[in-house]
Amino acid sequence: MKPKLIHPVSIGLMRRDNDNTAKHPVYDEAVEQKYLPTVFFAGQVSYKVYNAYVASGLGNAPDAEGYILCMADDWDLHNGTEGDLLIIPGGTKVTVVEARPAAHYHGKHWFYKVYFKRERGEVG
């Protein structure tokens, strides 16, 4: 049996375009990050519960404001990675912090749990 998402919504992914991004001549860091065209896939959005202690038997979790759960095939197809932008419902752009394999059945993972965070100072 193949697992499915329970409440999928449309998620946009904007991958970093490092080849066309200008770099600082001394520090070799992006001056103004460029992104590839947005691609869309299905995912479930979950936000962090604030002011509550949530114990997890899954071990450490990155410092993130929430995560999306998406099919591993969709994430792998679009080659998402840390630093890419996600467009979640409401048009909010968030940055990918980490992607972890999840839902291991029959020797493979079926989902990715993609943690995200808003950049400080960004409103929407």
Side-chain angles (χ1 to χ4, degrees):
M1 182 170 109
K2 181 178 178 183
K4 297 181 181 178
L5 297 170
I6 298 172
H7 298 291
V9 295
S10 182
I11 306 288
L13 172 65
M14 297 171 61
R15 293 194 48 233
R16 291 180 300 167
D17 185 3
N18 293 329
D19 293 337
N20 294 317
T21 297
K23 302 277 185 173
H24 188 279
V26 176
Y27 300 110
D28 196 36
E29 293 180 355
V31 175
E32 184 178 338
Q33 184 68 52
K34 302 287 185 193
Y35 294 91
L36 296 171
T38 306
V39 294
F40 292 91
F41 59 92
Q44 289 174 200
V45 181
S46 179
Y47 297 96
K48 183 176 183 178
V49 177
Y50 289 98
N51 299 324
Y53 176 73
V54 180
S56 171
L58 300 176
N60 66 332
D63 182 26
E65 295 178 14
Y67 66 87
I68 63 162
L69 190 67
C70 64
M71 300 299 293
D73 292 342
D74 289 339
W75 189 252
D76 290 338
L77 174 69
H78 301 302
N79 296 320
T81 187
E82 294 175 22
D84 291 346
L85 293 181
L86 294 173
I87 302 171
I88 56 177
T92 304
K93 290 182 182 176
V94 295
T95 303
V96 174
V97 175
E98 183 178 343
R100 292 186 178 181
H104 294 79
Y105 301 109
H106 307 292
K108 74 174 264 186
H109 65 276
W110 292 88
F111 296 120
Y112 273 105
K113 196 171 187 180
V114 181
Y115 293 92
F116 61 79
K117 183 184 242 184
R118 268 197 286 182
E119 295 298 323
R120 297 294 157 232
E122 187 174 329
V123 177

